[in-house]
Amino acid sequence: MVASSLRSTIPKCAAAAQRSRRTSSIALNSLENRRRRDFSGASSRPPPSPTDTLPSYLSGPTTHFGFSSVSVTEKESKVRRVFENVADNYDVMNDFMSAGLHRYWKDELLKMTGAAPMAKALRRRASLRRAAQSDDDARGNDVPSFSVLDVAGGTGDVAFRFADAAGCRERAKSSGTDEICVTVCDINPEMLRVGEERARRRFGAAVLDESRALKFVEGNAQCLPFDDDSFDLYTIAFGLRNVTDVDMALGDAYRVLKPGGRFLCLEFSHVTNLPLAKLYDLYSFNVIPQLGQMVADDRESYQYLVESIRKFCTQEELVSRLEAAGFERVQFTNMTGGIVAVHEGWKPL
């Protein structure tokens, strides 16, 4: 009954997804504009500080861990233990949390990025460029044309969608570094272990070791281990609400994006339809923890994940925080009545 009610709202986001797919041409133009400009030696414009009307996400020595209050220094280790506990059953966990809809939401996120048509255009351009180059020039051109960073994506669920859409497995049959690179960054080494094992089974070793289209890197969303202006696209799916300081994470997302780069966040949000909200709360608090106990012998981790959704920003608050971090053209798209939302913004050129 719950899954049926949730799925009945799916068609409402189809028009928004279609509109967002047209951004692939905007992103391609942004890539070209960046390459025509000389950014050598220039650093990113620092993001502005939150305004007086928007209090900092952290305002004291304590913060929330679900409905509990814990010290700021303690939350990170607690969240880490949750995901260590669920790493091997992460996809099952997402099925519980969303009644299976997370797969559809992630597919829609991919469509909103315009990754498939963009990859097709970039590969065609790269092929023409290689045909016009000498072998020596081609060997020296190993910098990806398009770089994606998927944060908190340890098991690779979103990154694999990018790799499939971009044809990375087929490209790995040719020599040289792939023009498209998808980097998965996660704070939890257990999640990364699961993700890399899945990647090798799904794509083969060549995609990771030879074409280097997929990478797995351990890192904290609040202080990413990458240089300024490194990525064209930053995605984070169902991870932002688990970060200790959301403002810091958004600021670092801004830092590592290239000028003209795009940020997209898929996250559980706040349901806008009252009858659906009541039904969803009933399912979340009474069914999900019980399923966690039955399937994974871990009620507490699933209880935290349910509670963390209710403590996270509203759709409008996250828009304000993105704008405070420096992003422009910020907007959000509700899916399934606001059970999840995709927030997006662009780093100005």
Side-chain angles (χ1 to χ4, degrees):
M1 175 181 173
V2 174
S4 176
S5 300
L6 296 180
R7 288 193 176 92
S8 68
T9 63
I10 286 175
K12 296 181 181 179
C13 69
Q18 171 119 19
R19 182 197 70 230
S20 299
R21 284 197 288 273
R22 291 197 292 268
T23 60
S24 61
S25 60
I26 297 173
L28 275 172
N29 290 335
S30 175
L31 282 172
E32 282 302 299
N33 288 338
R34 283 204 301 272
R35 291 186 178 108
R36 292 189 186 113
R37 295 176 59 183
D38 179 15
F39 286 103
S40 59
S43 59
S44 298
R45 177 174 66 85
S49 301
T51 63
D52 293 337
T53 58
L54 181 66
S56 298
Y57 193 79
L58 293 181
S59 56
T62 62
T63 187
H64 57 82
F65 177 77
F67 291 159
S68 302
S69 180
V70 298
S71 69
V72 169
T73 55
E74 188 181 6
K75 179 173 180 176
E76 188 174 299
S77 62
K78 282 182 167 291
V79 171
R80 185 190 298 266
R81 282 196 293 273
V82 167
F83 284 92
E84 285 174 351
N85 291 342
V86 303
D88 289 313
N89 297 298
Y90 186 67
D91 289 334
V92 176
M93 179 200 75
N94 280 334
D95 284 329
F96 290 165
M97 297 288 290
S98 68
L101 284 169
H102 73 99
R103 302 173 191 277
Y104 165 78
W105 295 329
K106 290 169 183 173
D107 288 343
E108 290 302 303
L109 175 68
L110 175 72
K111 293 175 186 175
M112 292 174 77
T113 68
M118 190 184 310
K120 186 176 180 180
L122 287 170
R123 291 206 185 284
R124 185 184 303 118
R125 190 175 302 168
S127 178
L128 293 171
R129 188 185 305 122
R130 281 196 301 271
Q133 287 177 331
S134 68
D135 289 343
D136 288 341
D137 289 339
R139 277 193 294 270
N141 186 20
D142 60 353
V143 178
S145 299
F146 190 73
S147 298
V148 179
L149 176 63
D150 183 42
V151 175
T155 60
D157 220 22
V158 172
F160 295 170
R161 284 169 166 79
F162 281 118
D164 283 333
C168 292
R169 176 164 31 195
E170 188 66 25
R171 171 62 179 81
K173 296 176 183 177
S174 303
S175 62
T177 302
D178 199 329
E179 297 80 20
I180 296 169
C181 179
V182 182
T183 300
V184 179
C185 183
D186 200 289
I187 195 172
N188 194 301
E190 279 300 298
M191 296 286 283
L192 290 168
R193 174 190 61 78
V194 172
E196 185 164 348
E197 288 175 356
R198 290 181 64 205
R200 291 185 182 279
R201 288 195 301 269
R202 179 167 178 161
F203 297 104
V207 170
L208 288 88
D209 302 332
E210 297 174 23
S211 69
R212 290 178 284 175
L214 265 177
K215 299 178 181 178
F216 289 82
V217 178
E218 185 176 344
N220 189 323
Q222 300 171 133
C223 48
L224 294 163
F226 307 109
D227 293 336
D228 295 358
D229 306 336
S230 293
F231 297 95
D232 300 286
L233 177 65
Y234 176 115
T235 60
I236 180 168
F238 306 120
L240 190 59
R241 76 183 190 279
N242 298 307
V243 173
T244 303
D245 190 339
V246 168
D247 290 335
M248 186 179 292
L250 296 179
D252 223 42
Y254 183 98
R255 177 186 67 80
V256 301
L257 276 171
K258 298 174 185 177
R262 190 179 180 202
F263 170 95
L264 286 109
C265 170
L266 169 65
E267 186 56 89
F268 286 109
S269 198
H270 295 264
V271 179
T272 55
N273 178 280
L274 185 58
L276 179 61
K278 291 180 177 179
L279 184 63
Y280 183 54
D281 280 348
L282 183 68
Y283 176 74
S284 297
F285 288 101
N286 293 280
V287 177
I288 292 175
Q290 291 282 8
L291 287 173
Q293 181 65 43
M294 291 167 54
V295 176
D297 193 26
D298 185 3
R299 180 188 179 91
E300 290 185 4
S301 293
Y302 289 83
Q303 185 72 34
Y304 157 74
L305 291 164
V306 169
E307 293 174 0
S308 69
I309 297 169
R310 276 66 182 179
K311 297 295 290 185
F312 190 57
C313 308
T314 64
Q315 289 89 323
E316 293 78 13
E317 180 188 343
L318 188 52
V319 166
S320 297
R321 294 195 180 280
L322 280 162
E323 291 174 341
F327 289 99
E328 297 181 349
R329 297 166 58 195
V330 178
Q331 60 182 347
F332 69 89
T333 302
N334 280 333
M335 295 184 184
T336 320
I339 290 179
V340 299
V342 175
H343 283 72
E344 58 183 298
W346 298 78
K347 180 174 177 176
L349 284 166

